[in-house]
Amino acid sequence: MTRTFLLTNAAVLAAVAVPVHAQDKEESFGGAKGADLSIEAMEPDGSAVTLGRAGEYPADIARYLLASGPGAANLSPDGKTIAFSWDVTGQSELWVMPASGGVPQQLTFQTGVSTPVWTPDGKGLFYSADRDGNEQPGYFMLSPDGKTETEILPAKRGDFRIFGGFAADGSFLYASTARGAGVFDIYRGTMSGESEMIIQSELGLAARSISPDGKYAIVTETVGEDGDNLYLLDLTTREMTTISKPPVDDRASHTLAGFEWRADSQSVGFSTNADREFGALTTYSLNSKRLQMIAEPDADIENLEVCGEGQSELVIYTENRDGFDTLRIRNAVNGNDRLVPDLPEGKYSLDCEGTSDPRLLVRVNGWQTPGELWMIDPIAGTGKKIFSANLAGLDADRLIRPQVVRYTARDGVELQGLLYLPKGAQKGENAPAVVFSVHGGPSAQSQASFDPVAQYHVARGVAVFEPNVRGSTGLGRTYSTLDDREKRLDSVRDLVDLKQVLATDGLIDGDRAAVMGGSYGGYAVNAVLAEYPGEFIAGVSLFGVADWVTALEIASPALKAADRIEYGDITEERWREFYKVNSPIRKADQITVPVLYSHGVQDPRIDIYETEVMVKTLRANGVEAPFIRIPDEGHGWRKLSNQLFYFRKQAEFLEEKLGLSGQ
C-alpha cells in the first residue's frame, strides 16, 4: 500500500465522519437486507494511496496487496490460447494470451468476472459476473478477440447459480435457485438464452461435468460443507443412478479433484475419501456400474486431468500435503510415473488439452508468488514459465516460507497449522508478538498460497500463525468432522491450546497475541474472545457470525444445504435452544478487549446484522469496537480500492494493539 505509514488510534478512526449508503431494497435474498446507517462506521473514501519507494523495507502494506498474478485459467481446446481472470485493473477481468507466451490482452472491462470457460468448439468464452458480490450472476459469452459479447442468461434477483459444464452441442447445465424455494435445481441452457429445468431438488443438487457424447452428467448432492452424494444423470431419460451415497454419519467428498471422462464416455475419474481418510483416485464404469480405486496416497488427490491418447494417455493430478501441492504425471495404461519439472512451492491448478500432442497448463500460487502460468509438455516432462507475477517492487527473497507445526490439544487430538516467523526471530523472552489468522469454512484449509497480509506482518517483525483447527479439510476425513454440531466449541478451544503450546515452546510471545478471521473465521474470533477472555489482547472479525439462530435462519442457498449437517437444522427446537446459549452474542459481555469489525453491505451469506449487533453490544459495554462498512462489497473484498482502504486500517489497528506503534 503505502502512503506514508500513518498510525491512527482506533477510537479516533471510529469517529471519522464518512458518507453512508443504503442497500438496494430489492437485494434482500439470503439476508442482505441493508445496513443500519445509524451505527457510526468508517467507509472507503477514495483517498489517495502512496506506496513509498521500491526497495524500502519494511515495505508498506499496499505493495503486498498490489502484488498480483493470474486467477483461474483455462486452455482453449486446441491448446493454443490461455484465458484467465486477473484483477490487476482493480477488479477481476477476463484476459487471453498465447500458450506459447506473449502479451496478455484484456477482454472485459468493469465486470468482475469469475472463471472463464471455453466453449467446446473454442470459438467463445463463457463467463459469469454478479453485482458487487451479491452472488446472483448473469451468464455471458465473449468472442476470443473481445469484439463480440452476448448476454446469455440475465442475472435475476434470488437466482444463485452454479455452472455445470458444456455438452458437445454447445448447450450447458447449471444449478439454480430460480424456482424460489431456496434450493438448487438443475437446468439446461442454450446459447440462444433458452433454459429448462430438468431435475428438481429438495435441498441442493449441482451438475459437475457432462460426458463427451453429451448423454450423461455427473451430479452431486450437498451433505455438509465437506461431503456430498454422487449420481449419474441420464440427460435423455432424466433418470439419476446413485454412484456413491455414504450414510450421513459417515459422509464423504467426491469433488476433491473435479471429474474427468474417458474419450469414449464409458468411465469417469474423480477423487473421493469415501471409506478412507484421504481422497483417492477412483474411476466409475458406466457399463459395470462399479467403482475402482486407482491410486491412494496418504494425502488428498486434487486437480485431476486426463489427456493424450493410446499408450501415451496420461493421468495428471496434485497431492495436497499440509497445504503444499505436489504435481504427479502418470501413464494411464501402466501406471508409471512420468518426469515432472520443478515448480515453485504452493498450490497448483491444472488444465490439460490435446491428444496426440498434449499440453498442460499449470497455474501456481505460492508463498513466494501471487501467481504464475507454466506450460508443460507432460510427455517430455519439461516446462516453461510464460507468465510471471508482478511483485509490486517487493523482493521475493524477503518473503517468508511458512513452516508446518503440529501440537496435541488438551483432549489428545493432533492439531496442525502454518507458522510464519520473522527472519532472525528469537525465542523465549524475546519471541515475537503474533497474529492468529483463522480460515473460514469451517471446512477449509490454511495453505501455502500467497498471503499478502501475513507477509506484511511478518516483515514488520510479527509472527503470523494460520491454524488448521479441527474441522479443517486436507488433514483427513475424520478430522474434518470433529467440530460438527455440539462439538463446535472444541474447535474454538483449539485456538487457545495452540497459542499456549506455541508460547511454551518459546516461538511466540503469548502475552502479545491477537486473533483475526473472516466469515466463519470471524465467528471464531467472536467466540474465542467471549469463551476465553484474557487469552488474546485484540481481535479482528470480518463479516463473521454473532448469533447462529439468525444466521442459520437466513442463510443463502449456497450455505443452507451444508448448514444442516454442519450445525444442525435450525427449524428444530433443540438446535434453536443450543445456539441461544452457544452463540457469541449471548456471551458478548465477556469480551473486554478491542475488536475491529467489518462487513460488506451486500453480503448474501452472512447478514451485516451479525456484525452490527456485536458492534452495538461491545460499544454499549464500553469496549472499543471500530467498524468498517463497505457498501459495494459482498462476502469479502473483491475490489482493489476497498482492499487498500480496509487492510491499511486493519494493519494500523493490529500494530497499535500489539505495541508496534512508532516502529
Side-chain angles (χ1 to χ4, degrees), residues 19 40 42 68 82 145 156 215 248 267 340 356 365 373 378:
E40 192 172 52
M42 296 171 280
S68 68
I82 302 170
D145 61 6
K156 179 182 177 183
K215 295 181 179 179
V248 172
S267 65
V340 175
S356 60
N365 184 288
L373 295 179

Side-chain angles (χ1 to χ4, degrees), residues 121-143:
D121 60 8
K123 295 181 179 180
L125 281 163
F126 179 95
Y127 72 90
S128 64
D130 65 11
R131 183 169 71 83
D132 292 335
N134 70 356
E135 300 183 16
Q136 297 153 64
Y139 284 167
F140 304 87
M141 185 61 63
L142 184 66
S143 61

Side-chain angles (χ1 to χ4, degrees), residues 527-599:
V528 75
L529 295 180
E531 297 286 345
Y532 299 94
E535 290 290 344
F536 293 92
I537 64 173
V540 175
S541 177
L542 299 89
F543 38 91
V545 169
D547 187 344
W548 282 114
V549 175
T550 56
L552 294 172
E553 282 179 335
I554 64 174
S556 73
L559 297 178
K560 193 175 290 292
D563 286 349
R564 295 186 186 181
I565 304 299
E566 191 77 35
Y567 306 102
D569 189 343
I570 200 61
T571 63
E572 297 179 10
E573 188 59 31
R574 68 184 182 113
W575 292 114
R576 296 183 68 85
E577 291 302 316
F578 178 80
Y579 288 116
K580 284 179 181 178
V581 175
N582 293 293
S583 289
I585 193 58
R586 311 298 174 183
K587 303 175 183 180
D589 58 344
Q590 297 175 205
I591 299 178
T592 59
V593 299
V595 186
L596 172 65
Y597 286 100
S598 59
H599 217 110

Side-chain angles (χ1 to χ4, degrees), residues 419-422 432-436 454 457-458 461-465 507-508 658:
L419 178 63
Y420 296 77
L421 285 176
V434 66
V435 175
F436 271 51
H457 284 301
V458 76
V462 177
V464 176
F465 183 56
L507 296 172
I508 64 167
L658 293 173

